[in-house]
Amino acid sequence: MKVHVFEPPNSKVFEKSSLTPPLGLRILPLFEDSKIDLDEVDDTTVSDTPPWSQSEPQICLSLTKYKKDTTNPEVYKQAFFGSNIQTSKLCADIY
């Protein structure tokens, strides 16, 4: 069953209730005020595979040796582009 975040099947429950409505219902007036077409909002689907049965992601922490508050951003760029981080199969984009 596909459910749209702005049209949950139980939305009537929240009309005259002290329950906090889900985020989709709370931000719907903002979308309407901003004249954002809800048909243009991308639906997100949830994977059928539960997260605990997927392989554990490998995260590259090589840049953590630099202290952020005392390291020049250029040092980060040089370390990132001078390494194999961006081409490594062990590292995935997490942004």
Side-chain angles (χ1 to χ4, degrees):
M1 175 171 120
K2 186 170 181 169
V3 177
H4 195 282
V5 69
F6 298 110
E7 299 169 0
N10 59 353
S11 60
K12 298 283 186 209
V13 171
F14 300 100
E15 286 180 4
K16 295 182 181 181
S17 169
S18 62
L19 296 172
T20 302
L23 179 63
L25 291 179
R26 293 193 317 257
I27 65 170
L28 185 58
L30 299 173
F31 275 72
E32 292 168 346
D33 292 348
S34 301
K35 296 180 177 52
I36 296 173
D37 183 7
L38 294 180
D39 292 330
E40 298 295 317
V41 176
D42 192 21
D43 287 331
T44 302
T45 57
V46 178
S47 173
D48 291 332
T49 307
W52 55 86
S53 63
Q54 296 177 357
S55 61
E56 186 175 328
Q58 299 295 315
I59 300 172
C60 183
L61 300 174
S62 65
L63 296 179
T64 61
K65 64 184 173 187
Y66 302 105
K67 299 281 184 220
K68 193 170 186 176
D69 57 344
T70 59
T71 303
N72 186 314
E74 292 301 316
V75 172
Y76 280 115
K77 288 179 189 175
Q78 198 170 36
F80 178 79
F81 291 114
S83 69
N84 64 348
I85 292 173
Q86 69 270 31
T87 59
S88 173
K89 291 181 182 176
L90 295 177
C91 298
D93 295 332
I94 54 172
Y95 52 87

